[in-house]
Amino acid sequence: MVVAAAAELCYRFAIGANPKPSSASVKPSRDISRLIEIMAALRTPGSGCPWDLEQNFRTIAPYTLEEAYEVADAIARDDLAGLKDELGDLLLQVVFHARMAEEQGAFDFADVVESLTAKLIRRHPHVFADADGKTAKAVEGLWERIKAEEKAGTGKPVQSGALSGVPLALPALTRALKLQNKAGRVGFDWNDPRAVLAKIREEADEIEAELDRGDETQQGAEVGDLLFAVVNLARHIRADPEGLLRETNIKFERRFAAIESALAARGKTPRDATLGEMDALWDAAKADEKS
């Protein structure tokens, strides 16, 4: 969203400085080529946007992550109108990176599209060829096998180890999920979610023991182990822990807002209320949602 806003302002600057495009000719379009043209104008030295011209892959990368999170947020809030805008902002990131690569002679947006379409065809032989893949689980295994074959065929050094290839930049919950999936594929896994639940209880007991000892450093480490075990439970029930926590955060915001609203009707704020009073209002908000 930050980059999108900057791009909009800078494009106005660009069309004012460059005599070629006019305000009458530069209009919104459903054609992806218009977006590519606008990005090229923003990055044109002398007539483009000063902010856009200063950017590089590293400075734009944080915005790319931000836009991906905002897409996920719109989905969690069931905000389809917002999702349309956020997907546009995320698409801008792809176009921005592709333009910078084109300027370096590495690749352009068309190369990105060609690479993606080739990958989708190659990794879906059950759709575009004769391979079997009648279930989601079979398709997932097929995708992973083809992906591994592709990496082996690049000629580049392949990272060794069952857990290799999981990016450090991923959110911690998502990275834990991917690490556990990889470990599970080589047999390091529980067969029953109840066994994972028992591990969660064990980790909670260890936290309690560390609370008794008063070792704050070890308390934190044990909480980390507990979170890792909870991610594993989510994985075993085929749920996305990142998505679950995102939805729970939204639920917490909604119910706390109900507390604030109820207190305001009494002429109070949360700072003026007792914990017992807020707990009662929380239960009321929870009951209203269920009803």
Side-chain angles (χ1 to χ4, degrees):
M1 188 173 292
V2 174
V3 176
E8 180 181 355
L9 291 173
C10 288
Y11 189 62
R12 292 175 183 173
F13 171 88
I15 62 176
N18 190 335
K20 292 182 181 179
S22 67
S23 58
S25 64
V26 181
K27 296 179 180 179
S29 173
R30 301 175 67 91
D31 191 338
I32 189 67
S33 62
R34 176 58 55 84
L35 176 59
I36 296 170
E37 290 169 359
I38 291 175
M39 192 71 251
L42 296 177
R43 291 279 298 182
T44 299
S47 62
C49 172
W51 186 89
D52 286 297
L53 286 165
E54 287 182 354
Q55 306 312 308
N56 56 51
F57 294 115
R58 291 184 181 277
T59 61
I60 289 297
Y63 297 117
T64 307
L65 291 173
E66 178 185 332
E67 298 302 350
Y69 288 136
E70 291 185 358
V71 166
D73 181 70
I75 293 170
R77 296 180 187 278
D78 294 322
D79 181 3
L80 292 182
L83 179 60
K84 179 190 69 174
D85 290 339
E86 299 302 346
L87 286 172
D89 291 344
L90 186 57
L91 177 58
L92 172 62
Q93 299 300 303
V94 178
V95 174
F96 207 136
H97 284 287
R99 176 62 193 179
M100 291 187 291
E102 183 179 1
E103 292 165 1
Q104 296 181 20
F107 59 83
D108 61 13
F109 185 81
D111 293 323
V112 174
V113 175
E114 182 180 27
S115 176
L116 175 58
T117 53
K119 180 187 296 184
L120 290 174
I121 294 169
R122 188 171 60 247
R123 294 188 182 179
H124 291 83
H126 53 291
V127 176
F128 302 109
D130 299 324
D132 291 330
K134 304 303 182 184
T135 66
K137 190 169 184 62
V139 169
E140 182 180 351
L142 185 63
W143 177 282
E144 291 297 332
R145 178 176 61 78
I146 295 172
K147 184 177 179 180
E149 291 172 353
E150 290 171 354
K151 288 185 177 180
T154 61
K156 297 178 181 178
V158 179
Q159 289 181 306
S160 61
L163 303 184
S164 63
V166 182
L168 285 168
L170 286 174
L173 291 179
T174 300
R175 189 162 192 268
L177 179 65
K178 289 185 175 293
L179 289 171
Q180 292 167 4
N181 278 333
K182 283 180 173 284
R185 292 193 193 106
V186 296
F188 191 69
D189 202 359
W190 281 286
N191 295 322
D192 186 346
R194 291 178 179 81
V196 187
L197 193 58
K199 180 64 175 177
I200 289 173
R201 295 191 182 101
E202 176 188 323
E203 298 295 352
D205 290 341
E206 291 180 3
I207 292 173
E208 186 171 15
E210 294 303 333
L211 288 172
D212 292 338
R213 293 190 186 95
D215 186 343
E216 293 185 358
T217 300
Q218 193 58 33
Q219 289 166 15
E222 295 298 346
V223 169
D225 291 344
L226 176 61
L227 289 172
F228 194 82
V230 169
V231 170
N232 218 343
L233 179 60
R235 181 174 69 90
H236 275 268
I237 63 172
R238 302 186 69 81
D240 171 29
E242 191 76 30
L244 292 176
L245 185 56
R246 189 179 295 113
E247 291 174 5
T248 298
N249 287 340
I250 293 171
K251 179 169 61 179
F252 180 83
E253 289 176 314
R254 184 175 64 244
R255 291 179 181 176
F256 194 82
I259 291 175
E260 290 179 310
S261 179
L263 288 173
R266 303 175 186 179
K268 301 173 72 173
T269 69
R271 291 184 180 277
D272 304 323
T274 65
L275 179 58
E277 188 176 9
M278 288 191 285
D279 276 340
L281 291 172
W282 175 275
D283 291 339
K286 185 176 178 179
D288 286 343
E289 288 182 2
K290 288 185 176 180
S291 64

